[in-house]
Amino acid sequence: HFRPAEGKRILEAAFRDRAPIGIFELTPRSVPTVLSTILIPLTVLALTPLIRPLRWPQVVFTYLLPILPLVIFWDGLVSYLRVYSTDELRELTADLQAPDYTWEIGELRIKGLPVGVPYMIGRPA
């Protein structure tokens, strides 16, 4: 998840070099997805016993000192908050237009997901 200035530089380089680039988000940034991060610690607690091989540090830092559930929660929350919307992707490419390079920006509909997943593809025409 690049900050806007870093993401813009990456897109500019692809555009300048006429190189193809694809960006696919795992999930959209929305209230339901951000709220779903509340379930991450519970998921970690429930799934840790299924990890093979399960080592003692995993048990200690999951159940006795719940550092792993909290760290994984924080990582998930920050990841959700840094997802770009399709409007933000369009804004990043607004001044990167040329007849020989195209940007396709939209949302992928995936069966079973109630929301679309943002994506962007840049490629030489």
Side-chain angles (χ1 to χ4, degrees), residues 57-119:
Q58 291 166 288
V59 174
V60 169
F61 294 117
T62 299
Y63 299 105
L64 298 177
L65 299 168
I67 293 171
L68 288 175
L70 294 174
V71 167
I72 296 168
F73 161 74
W74 180 254
D75 179 64
L77 178 62
V78 170
S79 293
Y80 281 145
L81 294 175
R82 294 193 76 181
V83 167
Y84 287 97
S85 69
T86 53
D87 289 339
E88 290 166 329
L89 293 172
R90 283 186 190 92
E91 186 178 314
L92 286 172
T93 59
D95 62 338
L96 303 175
Q97 303 297 319
D100 63 341
Y101 200 87
T102 60
W103 297 102
E104 178 184 339
I105 299 170
E107 289 186 351
L108 294 173
R109 293 291 177 188
I110 300 173
K111 187 177 179 179
L113 288 182
V115 291
V117 178
Y119 75 92

Side-chain angles (χ1 to χ4, degrees), residues 6 12-13 21 28 31 40 43 45 76-77 81 87 93 111:
E6 296 167 313
E12 286 172 342
I21 187 169
V31 172
I40 290 174
T43 304
L45 293 172
L77 178 62
L81 294 175
D87 289 339
T93 59
K111 187 177 179 179

